[in-house]
Amino acid sequence: MTTNAPTHSSAVSDGAPRRLAGTLGPGAIVFMVVAAAAPLTVIAGTVPLGIAAGNGAAYPASYIVCTVVLLFFAVGFTAMAKHLPGAGAFYTYITQGLGRHAGLGSAFLALLSYTAVQGAVYGYIGAAVNDFVTSHGGPELPWYVWALAVTAVVAILGYRHIDLSGKVLGVLLVCEVGIVLVIDAAVIVRGGGGGEGFSTAAFHPAEFFSGAPGIALIFAIAGYIGFEATAVFRDEARDPGRTIPRATYLALLVIGGFYALSSWAMVSAWGDEGAVAIATENPEGMITETATRYVGAIAGDLVQIFLITSLFAALLSFHNVLSRYIFSLGNSAALPAGCGRSHVKHASPYIASVVQTASALVLIVASAVAGLDPVTEVFAWFAGVSSVGIVALMTLTSVAVLVYFGRTRVDRRVWNTVIAPLLGLVGLAGLLIMTVANLPLLVGGSSTLAAVIGVLLIGTFAGGAAVAVLRPHAARHDTAIPQHDTNDTITDKEIAR
């Protein structure tokens, strides 16, 4: 007999609707998650940096390595999802595996990490829109004016039913992926460039370990931020038991395959040495020059346009993810109860969405008042905060998966509950160590700023743990009651652990 539990706790009982609803299938959720990864932004911004500062022409192999590590992670992640009906993602898993204190600490760390990456993208999109407008004869406005305009559009879509966001993201994602695939196809049809044909550096281990493979992996893993958000949309999935695992694996394969293919095509377009040269001299223009060289001038213009839509899609997706984190915490008594209300008509976390919009406005205004550069400071610094936080959360989740299945025995498949999660943990722990060690590089070479970020991340986690101490009822029942496939009973102590 299967033991089913309500998605959210009755800890908050003011009569307001507190359930989300939707009919998202694997495809719609994959659109949401892949859009958060901002594939065109990664190809245009991260890939040249990985080639220049990492392991050169072998950089595309970094995406294969990261995809394999995250697939191991996903095995335990999706196995545990079957037993946790809650939509809190990382914090739900960590709470059930490692306890409330670690769970709420991770919840607040996730809020900080996703808010930071959203702030980073607002800086980038503000600069990108301004560059595009001025290059076509329009007025030059401060980056934050464009960022605030985008915030308003994201707020409207985030307030409405999730299906609307899914449709918008689907259209934008097809456009940005489509233009890159056209460039890839053009490079392949013409047999590569630089007089060398197709690059083979990524297929040789010696080439991969030359240069700085650790830095290459750091840049690569940043492109996957948000893939785990498949579990956040559980309440709005058509058949969560099947949809969430399928969407998670599909998202990873799509993201990893796209990055590996497109970065390899970029290297092949210029030849091994030529790719390193242009990535070093003109990283921001590498994708545009590749498009113009192989497809034509119009393709270069389309890349500029779709880069902006790619950034917008990422913002909308991160907004939806953060709103659902806040919604889940509101229903667990970790945040004010109002955050856990859903809209009567749209079945959306509308108050959480408004809260998320307010936090984005604070970041944009604070950055503008401080006079920060939208790319070299807003984007770079906030992205650095997010990179460390997300990898740390995935590492903690891997530990939680192992502990949870070791304690509850609700799933006795060794591969799904022990071997694969352990392999994922080893890989993620290695990535976390490399990310922390190279954090100064991620924030412009400042050891002081890296130290401040480290204190901020640790302090945020500690703050969440403090909430668990000060609010004993927070996050006790909202996450899940383990679903057993037998008639085994579950004690109150196990549920509350």
Side-chain angles (χ1 to χ4, degrees):
M1 183 176 75
T2 300
T3 304
N4 293 312
T7 303
H8 297 291
S9 135
S10 59
V12 181
S13 56
D14 56 6
R18 295 184 175 278
R19 293 186 64 86
L20 304 180
T23 57
L24 298 177
I29 295 177
V30 168
F31 274 136
M32 205 85 63
V33 171
V34 176
L40 178 54
T41 303
V42 170
I43 300 303
T46 305
V47 168
L49 294 176
I51 293 172
N55 46 6
Y59 177 72
S62 302
Y63 290 115
I64 302 299
V65 173
C66 289
T67 300
V68 170
V69 170
L70 294 178
L71 282 172
F72 285 137
F73 167 82
V75 172
F77 182 75
T78 56
M80 193 169 172
K82 176 183 177 182
H83 306 283
L84 304 184
F90 282 146
Y91 105 84
T92 302
Y93 292 75
I94 294 171
T95 296
Q96 290 297 308
L98 304 179
R100 284 195 322 116
H101 298 78
L104 281 176
S106 67
F108 282 75
L109 180 58
L111 286 177
L112 173 66
S113 300
Y114 284 118
T115 299
V117 74
Q118 192 181 42
V121 177
Y122 271 118
Y124 200 151
I125 198 171
V129 173
N130 186 60
D131 288 346
F132 178 78
V133 171
T134 55
S135 68
H136 288 77
E140 182 171 358
L141 298 175
W143 69 270
Y144 52 82
V145 173
W146 300 112
L148 291 172
V150 172
T151 304
V153 179
V154 171
I156 292 171
L157 291 172
Y159 189 91
R160 302 292 296 274
H161 196 284
I162 188 63
D163 289 343
L164 177 60
S165 290
K167 293 173 182 176
V168 172
L169 289 173
V171 172
L172 297 181
L173 186 62
V174 168
C175 291
E176 66 174 293
V177 170
I179 188 63
V180 177
L181 291 179
V182 167
I183 298 170
D184 294 346
V187 172
I188 293 172
V189 168
R190 290 177 56 176
E196 305 171 16
F198 296 126
S199 173
T200 60
F203 305 107
H204 299 294
E207 293 285 342
F208 178 81
F209 288 104
S210 65
I215 294 175
L217 288 169
I218 292 170
F219 281 119
I221 196 69
Y224 295 80
I225 289 177
F227 90 89
E228 78 295 334
T230 51
V232 175
F233 298 103
R234 180 185 180 92
D235 293 348
E236 294 148 293
R238 186 165 51 238
D239 181 4
R242 295 183 178 181
T243 297
I244 299 307
R246 290 176 181 176
T248 303
Y249 289 123
L250 185 57
L252 275 175
L253 293 172
V254 168
I255 292 171
F258 179 81
Y259 290 162
L261 171 65
S262 300
S263 57
W264 170 79
M266 285 260 283
V267 172
S268 295
W270 299 93
D272 291 355
E273 293 183 4
V276 174
I278 190 173
T280 303
E281 297 166 7
N282 185 24
E284 66 277 4
M286 186 175 183
I287 182 65
T288 304
E289 290 194 28
T290 305
T292 302
R293 180 179 182 180
Y294 281 86
V295 184
I298 190 172
D301 291 335
L302 287 174
V303 165
Q304 282 187 295
I305 295 171
F306 292 148
L307 175 60
I308 293 171
T309 62
S310 171
L311 292 165
F312 175 79
L315 286 171
L316 179 56
S317 187
F318 282 126
H319 178 93
N320 286 327
V321 170
L322 275 161
S323 297
R324 282 147 186 81
Y325 259 104
I326 295 170
F327 176 84
S328 185
L329 289 171
N331 278 315
S332 70
L335 289 179
C339 293
R341 293 179 182 174
S342 57
H343 197 280
V344 174
K345 177 181 178 181
H346 302 301
S348 63
Y350 71 111
I351 293 181
S353 179
V354 172
V355 170
Q356 167 51 25
T357 299
S359 69
L361 289 173
V362 168
L363 284 181
I364 294 171
V365 172
S367 298
V369 171
L372 299 181
D373 181 87
V375 177
T376 61
E377 293 175 327
V378 177
F379 180 76
W381 294 359
F382 290 170
V385 172
S386 180
S387 295
V388 178
I390 296 299
V391 176
L393 285 167
M394 286 194 286
T395 305
L396 278 173
T397 302
S398 295
V399 176
V401 168
L402 289 166
V403 173
Y404 175 83
F405 284 119
R407 186 182 72 240
T408 64
R409 303 291 182 183
V410 293
D411 189 333
R412 298 182 182 276
R413 296 173 296 173
V414 177
W415 168 254
N416 296 71
T417 62
V418 179
I419 298 176
L422 186 58
L423 291 172
L425 173 60
V426 171
L428 287 167
L431 288 171
L432 178 60
I433 292 170
M434 286 188 288
T435 303
V436 172
N438 290 281
L439 182 58
L441 174 66
L442 298 179
V443 293
S446 173
S447 298
T448 301
L449 181 57
V452 170
I453 289 174
V455 171
L456 177 63
L457 291 166
I458 295 171
T460 300
F461 184 89
V467 170
V469 174
L470 298 173
R471 307 191 73 175
H473 298 293
R476 281 203 177 274
H477 304 289
D478 72 304
T479 51
I481 297 175
Q483 297 184 18
H484 290 247
D485 295 325
T486 68
N487 289 320
D488 295 343
T489 58
I490 310 169
T491 66
D492 291 338
K493 182 177 180 180
E494 179 182 348
I495 294 171
R497 185 178 293 130

